[in-house]
Amino acid sequence: MSLFVSLQLDRSQSTPLYQQLAGEIRNLINSGQLKEWEKLPPIRKLARELSVNNITVVHAYQELEQEGLLYSQVGRGTFVKARLHQPEPLLKSTPEGQDYYPPGLKVMDQGRLQIPMGAYNFASAIPTPELFPVADFKVILNEVLDRDGGKAFGYQEGQGYLPLRESLVEYLRENAIEAYENCIQIISGAQQGIDIIAKSLLKAGDFVITENPTYTGALAAFKSRGARIIPVPLEEDGVSISSLKKALAKYHPSLIYVIPNFQTPTGISYSEEKKLALLDLCQAYKVNIIEDDSFTDLSYDYPRQPIKVLDQYGQVIYIKSFSKILMPGLRLAFLSAPEKIIPGLLTAKHSSDISTPGLIQRTFDLYLRKGLWSKHLKYMRDSYQERYHTMLKAMEAHLPQEISYTKPGGGLSFWLRLPPGSSANYLYTRCLENQVIISPGSLFSASEERDSECFRLSFAGLYPDDIEKGILAINTAYQEQDSKPLYSPLL
Amino acid sequence: MSLFVSLQLDRSQSTPLYQQLAGEIRNLINSGQLKEWEKLPPIRKLARELSVNNITVVHAYQELEQEGLLYSQVGRGTFVKARLHQPEPLLKSTPEGQDYYPPGLKVMDQGRLQIPMGAYNFASAIPTPELFPVADFKVILNEVLDRDGGKAFGYQEGQGYLPLRESLVEYLRENAIEAYENCIQIISGAQQGIDIIAKSLLKAGDFVITENPTYTGALAAFKSRGARIIPVPLEEDGVSISSLKKALAKYHPSLIYVIPNFQTPTGISYSEEKKLALLDLCQAYKVNIIEDDSFTDLSYDYPRQPIKVLDQYGQVIYIKSFSKILMPGLRLAFLSAPEKIIPGLLTAKHSSDISTPGLIQRTFDLYLRKGLWSKHLKYMRDSYQERYHTMLKAMEAHLPQEISYTKPGGGLSFWLRLPPGSSANYLYTRCLENQVIISPGSLFSASEERDSECFRLSFAGLYPDDIEKGILAINTAYQEQDSKPLYSPLL
């Protein structure tokens, strides 16, 4: 309360008292002294403390409510609102691993990271372009143009080109997932999938549970609907079930968002036990699960299964991205959802972009039907697996013992931990000076931590020859700590 | 109030009173007896009337607030919330004129309209496919694939492929609009432009002014953010300035959405005076204007100008769609906005779909740079103009005097009015029986009118030979009124 007692109101001013009070509270909010969701003092109490009329406080709260800074709940009081319109950092790291915007870094060219020429970029998880099946795709594209002509350029159905949905049902069944054409929604990339789910199922103030750390593109979509994020910590075999239980019981969330295989950014895969425990808990609390799957196909030790395979209650909304294995720039993905929520998703899709480009849908459909997908998947898995092992060898050879990491066994990244109290933000800056880019863990925080002991190294964007050189450069940057220690005041 | 006095609470039941009360109020809301934004009785007052404790009412209101049915404002009271998640009609008519969902019509194939085989479809404003420049586009597409290879399939900048933004600056300058690369945002169709503007600039409860009738895809995007629509009537030379003044003064809206040239659905174009009056009023009230422009290029009598040309204060967000003139299925458009709001739009774009497919952006850029655009525009204008005059001739020859319409002088549609009290919904049904599809005016209502005397006829999707046959069929359907009059109880 002392925060409020100290407020200065000056009766001699021409500005009405309630406007002065509103101004003072506005400053407390903007300066971060009053945090999102924090409760304000009851009207009478504050009026008494400031020796003003109740109506003065009422007017001040009203003004700030109209500005969208406060909200109130019957019988509960007045609270600081989440800042829906405060821009997120423009481009944070994504499972699709493209542009991001690390703390304190200059950006150029509309938010693209400033990568020094010839730097080793372990931040981007974008495959090197030569891996893309451009030649095959070009052939199919022309075949579609000759086959469909103008039809390929009219509006496609909002739910997606029907033959493609049929092909995807086949694809899912081959992956032990039961599905039907009318449960499938074609989306312009996984990010749009998360966005239309949020649009259709969330309202301001709803709670959403996510893993912590997680993919920040999902956090951005949920927050843009005014949802409140409840982060649940990850353990080596998946989300902490005890914490999840508590969170479900306390917040009764509207959604839970998980990446069960080769999680972003940690690379963790859930054990079968945890997958089942997660499903049972969410069934008990009647919560829909969003399963974001970019990497299940990219396992290098033993195969993983999406939790969708185990979804006997029809509570999992399964989002499948092809960006990492086919081509991210196509902006094509799909989701398979319980039939009852499809109409809402279709409405959200329609008000978002009406439909996904028909030419791309038709081309990908023919690509699947010609069996080119499985051929290309094998090629990509082999290519990535080579980089994965090159990376592992280089880290074992050149990184000091005290930097720890586990072997994810798949995906496109490693998650490393510095000694206690060390700052990955500092290491990031120091690496930059050594022409190498890493992703500091703070970029993936679901609880707004501003620094972390952890960092992510992605190898998708580096040729095998460059991986070892890059790891050596990271080690050089790390060793500089003898002169400048990496201790962080934030940790 | 009588509404509430009549509520039945039964103390003998095991259900707590507050839950009974909540249930009763829930029914009043779901049955529509309590309307969106309606104020509920003050807690003490209602408690007195029902002779229950205040706390019972508080708990009931709280429960309904948690369900998202009510909201409260400091010192104002408790209100019925807008039903954010109530699905909109799946696919309503759009300026892009694709699928819609007329009242009481069976739909098939994921929301596609059930068009009887061989029906004359005046509802769709989709160009017939043979008008699309497929051959040219194919050549350019292959040139881009050979030139850029894998680069065409990586992530494009979120704001859009820079060379394309440069080409669009050129395009705008040729159209007397001053612009810069950093004011341009590439979007996946005009609908996405409206959606990310809403995402970035609106919060729940904000007011948005629109023309009435208007493009319902815009209404859907605004409502999905919880915005409240304030419809302002149209006159023959644009929006009613007196009504606009009143609406601005009363509601202080966050945005105003207009289609100043060949408006959807009326075909009305604003006079220069009204364009200037609109700009001055919005400047006075510091309101951003969304200008949605699909049709300015399609004028057949004298050229119109976008209001963006007159935008000296930098308050107009100009959305340009190419769907009608190039190809709708590309899902490619752009907006030109005041620089200060671009970062917010880019954040919204990024959390919506990260970026628009690079291959399509690069192909359209080369298409512009090779001067194919102006060549194709001329071809499309000539083709549409021929259909426009065929349509006009057929209506003059075959429709009775009492069905009135004006000549828009451009665009792809006519807006017709039946005699006072006649139902366009009935005419729609009767036309369907005669194998012809029209768009009843109720589809475009910004004020939820369920019937209208007006209807829209689009000619983009009909070959000249079929236009006259279609008009004859409409006349046949209309003449049936001697047996079944078209009088509507709703009008």
Side-chain angles (χ1 to χ4, degrees):
Chain A
M1 265 329 78
S2 54
L3 200 56
F4 290 88
V5 184
S6 63
L7 295 183
Q8 296 308 320
L9 304 182
D10 175 359
R11 285 175 167 67
S12 68
Q13 279 188 36
S14 61
T15 324
L17 278 176
Y18 84 90
Q19 286 182 12
Q20 292 183 42
L21 177 56
E24 294 281 327
I25 298 173
R26 195 181 296 111
N27 296 338
L28 291 176
I29 293 169
N30 293 335
S31 66
Q33 297 175 72
L34 264 175
K35 306 228 169 330
E36 287 185 8
W37 316 115
E38 205 169 305
K39 187 175 198 291
L40 276 80
I43 288 161
R44 285 177 193 68
K45 188 163 184 304
L46 184 55
R48 210 162 44 243
E49 284 174 348
L50 300 173
S51 44
V52 296
N53 299 330
N54 295 343
I55 195 69
T56 305
V57 180
V58 169
H59 282 152
Y61 283 8
Q62 278 181 1
E63 172 144 328
L64 295 168
E65 190 174 24
Q66 281 161 20
E67 291 172 23
L69 292 175
L70 301 180
Y71 71 100
S72 61
Q73 292 186 297
V74 196
R76 290 236 190 78
T78 303
F79 302 81
V80 179
K81 201 167 186 174
R83 311 297 297 277
L84 299 195
H85 303 309
Q86 181 182 48
E88 301 285 320
L90 272 193
L91 298 166
K92 282 180 133 198
S93 183
T94 76
E96 320 210 54
Q98 100 295 15
D99 314 335
Y100 70 109
Y101 189 159
L105 189 83
K106 283 207 186 53
V107 287
M108 52 180 284
D109 183 11
Q110 289 73 33
R112 277 195 166 277
L113 226 191
Q114 185 170 21
I115 307 279
M117 290 300 293
Y120 303 108
N121 184 358
F122 289 98
S124 158
I126 309 175
T128 46
E130 92 288 350
L131 293 174
F132 295 149
V134 178
D136 281 350
F137 197 81
K138 183 181 170 185
V139 172
I140 306 285
L141 195 57
N142 281 287
E143 194 170 330
V144 168
L145 286 169
D146 298 337
R147 183 193 70 190
D148 299 347
K151 285 213 275 352
F153 297 102
Y155 284 104
Q156 213 58 75
E157 306 91 301
Q159 193 170 354
Y161 180 56
L162 188 56
L164 174 58
R165 283 184 282 129
E166 287 162 358
S167 302
L168 291 170
V169 165
E170 277 316 300
Y171 165 89
L172 287 170
R173 291 182 175 164
E174 286 158 15
N175 289 271
I177 295 174
E178 193 55 16
Y180 305 92
E181 293 78 29
N182 53 3
C183 299
I184 290 188
Q185 172 68 54
I186 303 296
I187 43 185
S188 306
Q191 180 67 39
Q192 183 181 63
I194 300 166
D195 191 53
I196 64 173
I197 292 166
K199 204 174 192 176
S200 159
L201 299 180
L202 294 181
K203 57 185 185 309
D206 282 0
F207 291 101
V208 175
I209 289 181
T210 72
E211 299 153 337
N212 190 27
T214 188
Y215 166 43
T216 47
L219 299 177
F222 298 138
K223 287 178 182 171
S224 89
R225 303 300 303 179
R228 290 176 270 187
I229 305 298
I230 308 300
V232 172
L234 278 167
E235 296 161 352
E236 283 197 358
D237 59 347
V239 71
S240 156
I241 295 299
S242 57
S243 312
L244 178 60
K245 253 185 206 146
K246 291 201 198 81
L248 285 165
K250 179 167 178 195
Y251 296 103
H252 293 277
S254 309
L255 279 174
I256 169 166
Y257 171 82
V258 292
I259 309 172
N261 294 322
F262 310 120
Q263 195 258 3
T264 295
T266 63
I268 284 169
S269 295
Y270 284 44
S271 64
E272 287 303 294
E273 297 66 33
K274 285 214 166 170
K275 287 177 181 173
L276 291 167
L278 171 67
L279 285 164
D280 290 341
L281 272 174
C282 291
Q283 165 64 5
Y285 285 92
K286 300 271 170 286
V287 183
N288 280 315
I289 301 171
I290 303 178
E291 174 176 30
D292 193 345
D293 182 8
S294 295
F295 299 115
T296 299
D297 302 311
L298 296 176
S299 55
Y300 313 133
D301 45 14
Y302 60 89
R304 272 77 169 172
Q305 276 192 332
I307 56 174
K308 182 68 174 174
V309 172
L310 309 166
D311 178 30
Q312 53 175 312
Y313 307 116
Q315 65 194 103
V316 177
I317 307 171
Y318 178 71
I319 301 178
K320 183 67 186 175
S321 164
F322 297 117
S323 293
K324 284 288 145 295
I325 292 162
L326 192 57
M327 305 186 278
L330 287 182
R331 311 308 306 124
L332 183 68
F334 76 93
L335 61 78
S336 175
E339 193 170 353
K340 64 180 180 306
I341 72 169
I342 287 287
L345 292 178
L346 185 49
T347 305
K349 166 72 177 173
H350 186 253
S351 75
S352 296
D353 68 355
I354 297 179
S355 59
T356 294
L359 179 62
I360 289 172
Q361 293 190 58
R362 289 164 186 259
T363 304
F364 186 54
D365 174 52
L366 194 55
Y367 190 86
L368 287 168
R369 289 174 187 266
K370 289 189 174 243
L372 290 167
W373 170 257
S374 36
K375 170 190 142 206
H376 181 63
L377 171 58
K378 187 184 176 320
Y379 168 73
M380 290 301 270
R381 194 191 284 117
D382 295 347
S383 314
Y384 285 139
Q385 185 161 15
E386 181 198 359
R387 295 180 189 191
Y388 173 85
H389 287 298
T390 309
M391 183 87 171
L392 209 48
K393 225 167 109 246
M395 292 195 299
E396 282 160 358
H398 305 304
L399 291 186
Q401 288 301 325
E402 69 259 31
I403 298 182
S404 59
Y405 52 88
T406 52
K407 300 173 185 171
L412 301 178
S413 304
F414 287 87
W415 184 244
L416 296 84
R417 180 178 297 278
L418 295 166
S422 309
S423 161
N425 289 358
Y426 289 172
L427 181 63
Y428 161 80
T429 315
R430 214 175 279 176
C431 283
L432 194 64
E433 295 159 6
N434 287 269
Q435 304 293 300
V436 56
I437 319 288
I438 67 173
S439 302
S442 53
L443 290 177
F444 306 94
S445 172
S447 50
E448 322 263 301
E449 283 118 359
R450 287 159 55 215
D451 201 351
S452 163
E453 291 161 3
C454 300
F455 60 102
R456 188 184 77 169
L457 299 182
S458 301
F459 50 83
L462 285 166
Y463 297 101
D465 301 351
D466 290 335
I467 289 178
E468 182 168 25
K469 297 180 195 143
I471 297 296
L472 281 164
I474 292 171
N475 183 56
T476 312
Y478 178 75
Q479 298 306 341
E480 289 172 11
Q481 69 176 313
D482 308 340
S483 47
K484 295 173 284 169
L486 282 171
Y487 169 77
S488 166
L490 298 171
L491 293 168
Chain B
M1 262 333 72
S2 55
L3 200 56
F4 290 89
V5 184
S6 62
L7 296 183
Q8 295 309 317
L9 304 182
D10 175 358
R11 283 175 170 66
S12 67
Q13 279 188 36
S14 60
T15 324
L17 279 177
Y18 85 91
Q19 285 183 10
Q20 293 184 40
L21 177 55
E24 294 281 328
I25 297 174
R26 194 182 295 112
N27 295 339
L28 290 177
I29 294 171
N30 293 335
S31 66
Q33 296 177 73
L34 264 174
K35 305 229 169 333
E36 287 184 9
W37 315 116
E38 206 169 304
K39 188 174 192 299
L40 276 81
I43 287 161
R44 286 178 192 67
K45 188 166 185 303
L46 184 55
R48 210 162 41 242
E49 285 175 349
L50 301 173
S51 44
V52 297
N53 299 331
N54 294 343
I55 195 69
T56 306
V57 180
V58 170
H59 282 152
Y61 283 9
Q62 275 181 3
E63 171 145 326
L64 295 169
E65 190 174 23
Q66 279 160 24
E67 292 173 23
L69 291 176
L70 300 180
Y71 71 101
S72 62
Q73 290 185 298
V74 196
R76 290 239 189 74
T78 303
F79 301 82
V80 178
K81 201 167 187 175
R83 312 296 294 278
L84 299 195
H85 303 308
Q86 185 180 46
E88 302 284 319
L90 270 195
L91 299 166
K92 281 182 135 193
S93 185
T94 74
E96 323 210 58
Q98 100 298 13
D99 313 332
Y100 70 108
Y101 191 159
L105 188 82
K106 281 208 188 52
V107 287
M108 52 179 279
D109 183 10
Q110 289 73 33
R112 278 196 165 274
L113 223 192
Q114 184 170 22
I115 307 279
M117 289 301 293
Y120 303 107
N121 184 358
F122 289 97
S124 158
I126 310 175
T128 46
E130 92 289 351
L131 293 175
F132 296 149
V134 178
D136 281 350
F137 197 81
K138 183 182 170 187
V139 171
I140 305 285
L141 196 57
N142 281 285
E143 193 170 333
V144 167
L145 286 168
D146 298 337
R147 182 193 70 191
D148 299 347
K151 286 211 259 27
F153 296 101
Y155 284 104
Q156 213 58 74
E157 306 92 301
Q159 192 169 353
Y161 180 54
L162 187 56
L164 174 57
R165 284 184 282 129
E166 288 162 356
S167 302
L168 291 170
V169 166
E170 276 317 299
Y171 165 88
L172 286 171
R173 291 184 176 163
E174 287 159 15
N175 290 271
I177 295 174
E178 193 58 13
Y180 306 92
E181 293 78 33
N182 54 1
C183 300
I184 291 188
Q185 172 67 56
I186 302 297
I187 44 184
S188 306
Q191 180 67 38
Q192 182 180 63
I194 299 166
D195 190 52
I196 64 172
I197 292 167
K199 203 172 193 178
S200 161
L201 298 180
L202 294 181
K203 56 185 186 310
D206 282 1
F207 291 100
V208 175
I209 289 182
T210 73
E211 299 153 337
N212 189 27
T214 189
Y215 166 44
T216 48
L219 299 176
F222 298 137
K223 287 178 181 172
S224 87
R225 305 298 304 179
R228 291 177 266 186
I229 304 298
I230 308 300
V232 173
L234 277 167
E235 296 163 351
E236 283 197 1
D237 59 347
V239 72
S240 155
I241 294 299
S242 58
S243 312
L244 178 60
K245 254 188 204 139
K246 290 199 199 81
L248 285 165
K250 180 167 179 195
Y251 296 103
H252 294 278
S254 308
L255 279 174
I256 170 165
Y257 171 82
V258 292
I259 309 171
N261 294 323
F262 311 120
Q263 196 260 1
T264 297
T266 62
I268 284 169
S269 295
Y270 285 44
S271 64
E272 286 304 291
E273 299 66 34
K274 286 217 165 167
K275 287 177 180 172
L276 291 167
L278 171 67
L279 285 164
D280 289 341
L281 273 174
C282 292
Q283 166 63 7
Y285 285 91
K286 300 272 171 285
V287 182
N288 280 316
I289 302 171
I290 302 178
E291 175 176 27
D292 192 345
D293 181 9
S294 296
F295 299 113
T296 298
D297 301 312
L298 296 177
S299 56
Y300 313 132
D301 46 11
Y302 60 89
R304 273 72 168 174
Q305 277 191 331
I307 55 174
K308 182 68 175 173
V309 171
L310 309 166
D311 177 31
Q312 53 175 312
Y313 308 117
Q315 63 193 105
V316 177
I317 307 172
Y318 178 71
I319 302 177
K320 182 67 186 176
S321 164
F322 296 117
S323 293
K324 284 288 143 297
I325 292 163
L326 192 57
M327 305 187 278
L330 288 182
R331 309 309 306 126
L332 183 67
F334 75 94
L335 60 79
S336 175
E339 193 170 356
K340 63 180 181 305
I341 72 168
I342 287 287
L345 293 178
L346 185 50
T347 305
K349 166 72 175 173
H350 186 254
S351 75
S352 297
D353 68 355
I354 298 179
S355 60
T356 295
L359 179 62
I360 290 172
Q361 293 191 57
R362 289 163 187 259
T363 304
F364 186 54
D365 174 52
L366 194 54
Y367 190 86
L368 287 168
R369 288 175 188 265
K370 293 197 171 225
L372 290 168
W373 169 258
S374 37
K375 169 191 140 204
H376 180 63
L377 171 57
K378 187 184 176 321
Y379 168 73
M380 291 299 272
R381 193 190 287 118
D382 295 347
S383 313
Y384 285 140
Q385 185 162 15
E386 181 198 357
R387 297 181 188 189
Y388 174 85
H389 287 298
T390 310
M391 182 84 173
L392 209 47
K393 225 165 110 245
M395 292 196 299
E396 283 162 358
H398 305 302
L399 290 186
Q401 285 302 325
E402 69 260 29
I403 299 183
S404 59
Y405 53 88
T406 52
K407 301 173 185 170
L412 302 179
S413 304
F414 287 85
W415 184 244
L416 297 83
R417 179 177 297 279
L418 296 165
S422 310
S423 161
N425 288 358
Y426 290 173
L427 182 62
Y428 161 80
T429 317
R430 214 174 279 175
C431 283
L432 195 62
E433 294 158 5
N434 288 270
Q435 304 294 298
V436 56
I437 319 289
I438 67 172
S439 301
S442 53
L443 290 177
F444 307 92
S445 171
S447 49
E448 325 258 300
E449 282 117 0
R450 288 158 54 214
D451 201 352
S452 164
E453 290 161 2
C454 299
F455 60 102
R456 189 185 75 169
L457 299 181
S458 301
F459 50 83
L462 286 166
Y463 297 100
D465 299 353
D466 290 335
I467 289 178
E468 183 168 23
K469 297 178 195 145
I471 296 295
L472 281 165
I474 292 172
N475 183 56
T476 311
Y478 178 75
Q479 299 305 343
E480 291 172 11
Q481 69 177 317
D482 308 340
S483 47
K484 294 171 284 171
L486 283 172
Y487 169 79
S488 166
L490 299 171
L491 291 168

